[in-house]
Amino acid sequence: MADTITVTGVVGTVPQLGDAAGTPVCNFRLASSLRRYDKQSGKWTEYGTNWYSVGAYRYLGKNVAASVNKGDRVVVTGRVRLREWSNQTASGMTVDIDATSVGHDLTWGTTTYRKHNQAEADHADADQAEDAREDGDGFLPDASETPDVPGAPLVETAPGASAESWSTVPPGHGREEAA
């Protein structure tokens, strides 16, 4: 079973779209820093930066290469792997993330979403399903595993419940939740 991680940070290198044995892959480095505001000094204090090597494959990789730039603040979710390395002058450990999802961090700005045509989306879904089967850890949650929180996907949670009885929009932002 693979470990999953979600990291927010700044894209530290220009995302590079390449090819890995016939599969498109986009690679970039992600910097995640911890900063805290010190009330006594009135300044922000940095507590170090963690660096991650991110790889996004297939359509995700193509979309990342077309959408993400160096300096963008992003959220990355994926499978994490620690890899030791050494050369003649140094050695260390790299944290690799095999991305399953990448998006702009909307805490810091806005973005515009553009959906692919249905044929591309169906092909991407089939690729992701095949990857999950190969990894042995892919599954689709049933309704009992979906939390009842605003913003959760529309899911039938009980026999006879309809999608209209649940809202994916927080109260006061358009469609109101059913009582």
Side-chain angles (χ1 to χ4, degrees), residues 9-76:
V10 177
V11 177
T13 59
V14 175
Q16 297 291 320
L17 184 60
D19 189 82
T23 301
V25 61
C26 182
N27 294 303
F28 64 92
R29 298 274 290 158
L30 181 69
S32 178
S33 299
L34 176 61
R35 291 176 32 160
R36 293 189 181 165
Y37 186 74
D38 184 355
K39 289 182 183 179
Q40 292 177 343
S41 69
K43 297 180 181 178
W44 286 93
T45 306
E46 245 189 75
Y47 289 94
T49 301
N50 293 324
W51 285 92
Y52 303 90
S53 296
V54 179
Y57 295 85
R58 297 179 181 77
Y59 280 100
L60 176 59
K62 290 180 180 181
N63 291 340
V64 167
S67 304
V68 174
N69 299 299
K70 180 178 178 180
D72 286 357
R73 292 184 178 266
V74 295
V75 179
V76 175

Side-chain angles (χ1 to χ4, degrees), residues 109-178:
T110 62
T111 190
T112 302
Y113 176 75
R114 184 173 45 93
K115 189 175 181 178
H116 285 287
N117 69 39
Q118 190 61 43
E120 289 175 347
D122 290 344
H123 185 71
D125 290 344
D127 284 346
Q128 287 179 345
E130 183 178 341
D131 288 346
R133 283 192 300 275
E134 288 173 3
D135 293 341
D137 61 351
F139 70 94
L140 294 174
D142 63 36
S144 65
E145 297 171 326
T146 305
D148 293 334
V149 295
L154 293 175
V155 176
E156 185 170 311
T157 59
S162 68
E164 287 74 44
S165 66
W166 298 94
S167 173
T168 60
V169 180
H173 291 85
R175 195 173 117 196
E176 296 296 320
E177 290 183 2

